[in-house]
Amino acid sequence: MSILHLVDPIAVQSPAFELFGRTFEPGVHWYGLMYALAFLSAWLLGRSRIRAGRLPGVDEAGFGDLMFYGMLGVVLGGRVGYVLFYSFGDFLANPLMLAKVWEGGMSFHGGLLGVLLASWLWSRSRRLHFLDTMDFVAPLVPLGLGFGRIGNWIGGELWGKPTDVAWATVFRSALPQDIAWLDDAALRALHQTGQLEQYARHPSQLYQAFLEGVAMFALLWWFSSRPRPRYAVSGLFALLYGCFRFLVEFVREPDAHIGYLAFGWLTMGQVLSTPLILLGLYWLWRSRSAPTLQPAPPAAATPPANAR
């Protein structure tokens, strides 16, 4: 029998209130907590590497600036990317929808472009080679991707195609409207009698959490544990993510308003991942003749001569 998904996407519910004639129901969503865990993990991992001198000339304060730039890149780029890649028609009809972040909608590829731009601006201000910065950042990202996909699973969004595998999952949001409105008890009763099996789907969010999060982190952290030629770590990141995302798209349900773009199977996610695969291969090829940045731990602060 399949797994029935009835997880509340709100971790902490707050009392509703009215403002300007509208009712607001504030609360802390699990997805928001996943974002917090993503940034926290990146900060902890990055701080340990900064202390080991893996980005020479940059101390913890400088890394804090990089994190701030990166967070802006993730949020702004992710939102703009989603609107441009997946909802451009809605944007043309109502440009203000770009600001309606509470309605959901973030794109990894847009967030990646945002991080690239933010890291380039930060690197330029520090007079560092852009790819040295990206090689440093790449191993810090996968855990955050994994947390984000867990957030997608908790929210019951971005589910996979119908299947009968042992771990198939029934998501409320994927049910027909005449069933989805039922309360949890009624859905459990239907599920126990097998009446929801036809709606069971791949939990593709968890596949992505494992591949993009656990597997990518393990491989990249190991690969970058010692200095590698410039371009190599970034190239491996781009190649792994592009391949993993391309493969998972075969069992992930495409966006209903976009569907398949060609051949009866090509999705927008695969189209956007193909350049990453090519870029990863190119960067790995470039790394064969590139210099290797050697660690240089930040110099310890020297106490004043009159310090006691």
Side-chain angles (χ1 to χ4, degrees):
M1 180 174 287
S2 62
I3 301 169
L4 180 60
H5 179 282
L6 293 175
V7 182
D8 189 343
I10 301 179
V12 180
Q13 184 71 61
S14 301
F17 65 92
E18 290 191 4
L19 184 65
F20 303 120
R22 292 188 58 185
T23 300
F24 293 87
E25 298 181 359
V28 179
H29 287 68
W30 283 109
Y31 195 66
L33 291 177
M34 293 301 108
Y35 261 76
L37 287 175
F39 291 130
L40 177 62
S41 66
W43 179 72
L44 291 174
L45 294 171
R47 186 180 63 170
S48 70
R49 289 254 166 124
I50 285 292
R51 291 176 175 177
R54 298 302 299 274
L55 195 57
V58 179
D59 57 13
E60 291 188 40
F63 173 62
D65 292 339
L66 175 59
M67 282 292 298
F68 178 73
Y69 275 62
M71 286 188 289
L72 289 180
V74 167
V75 175
L76 297 179
R79 180 59 181 172
V80 172
Y82 173 81
V83 171
L84 295 181
F85 299 148
Y86 296 95
S87 296
F88 191 63
D90 295 336
F91 171 71
L92 292 179
N94 179 23
L96 291 179
M97 66 90 63
L98 179 64
K100 295 181 179 180
V101 294
W102 57 87
E103 294 182 355
M106 296 288 283
S107 162
F108 163 80
H109 298 91
L112 176 61
L113 291 175
V115 170
L116 290 174
L117 176 59
S119 299
W120 177 78
L121 292 172
W122 181 87
S123 300
R124 186 181 180 186
S125 69
R126 292 268 173 170
R127 297 185 177 181
L128 297 174
H129 195 288
F130 170 57
L131 263 299
D132 286 339
T133 300
M134 293 314 302
D135 285 343
F136 174 84
V137 169
L140 315 182
V141 175
L143 284 184
L145 296 179
F147 286 129
R149 294 308 180 189
I150 292 173
N152 292 146
W153 180 83
I154 292 175
E157 58 185 8
L158 306 182
W159 16 261
K161 296 178 181 179
T163 184
D164 60 357
V165 297
W167 54 88
T169 305
V170 176
F171 296 95
R172 178 191 290 273
S173 55
L175 294 173
Q177 287 300 315
D178 59 338
I179 301 177
W181 66 271
L182 297 174
D183 61 25
D184 290 358
L187 287 178
R188 289 192 184 95
L190 289 175
H191 182 254
Q192 289 173 359
T193 60
Q195 297 183 59
L196 299 183
E197 293 304 295
Q198 59 183 312
Y199 305 113
R201 296 176 175 273
H202 282 287
S204 55
Q205 316 96 321
L206 298 183
Y207 302 167
Q208 290 184 264
F210 175 76
L211 292 174
E212 301 169 10
V214 178
M216 271 185 61
F217 172 72
L219 290 170
L220 281 170
W221 195 256
W222 165 78
F223 184 73
S224 63
S225 61
R226 64 182 179 86
R228 300 285 181 176
R230 182 179 292 157
Y231 298 99
V233 180
S234 297
L236 184 60
F237 174 93
L239 178 62
L240 287 175
Y241 181 86
C243 289
F244 288 158
R245 178 66 183 269
F246 198 97
L247 291 174
V248 172
E249 287 288 318
F250 285 111
V251 296
R252 175 173 160 174
E253 188 78 15
D255 293 82
H257 62 291
I258 297 179
Y260 295 111
L261 302 181
F263 316 121
W265 56 266
L266 185 66
T267 67
M268 178 62 78
Q270 290 171 324
V271 168
L272 295 174
S273 296
T274 300
L276 277 179
I277 297 174
L278 298 176
L279 181 63
L281 291 172
Y282 171 69
W283 276 348
L284 287 171
W285 175 77
R286 281 288 304 272
S287 71
R288 298 186 307 165
S289 57
T292 299
L293 190 67
Q294 296 300 326
T302 302
N306 60 351
R308 294 290 186 269

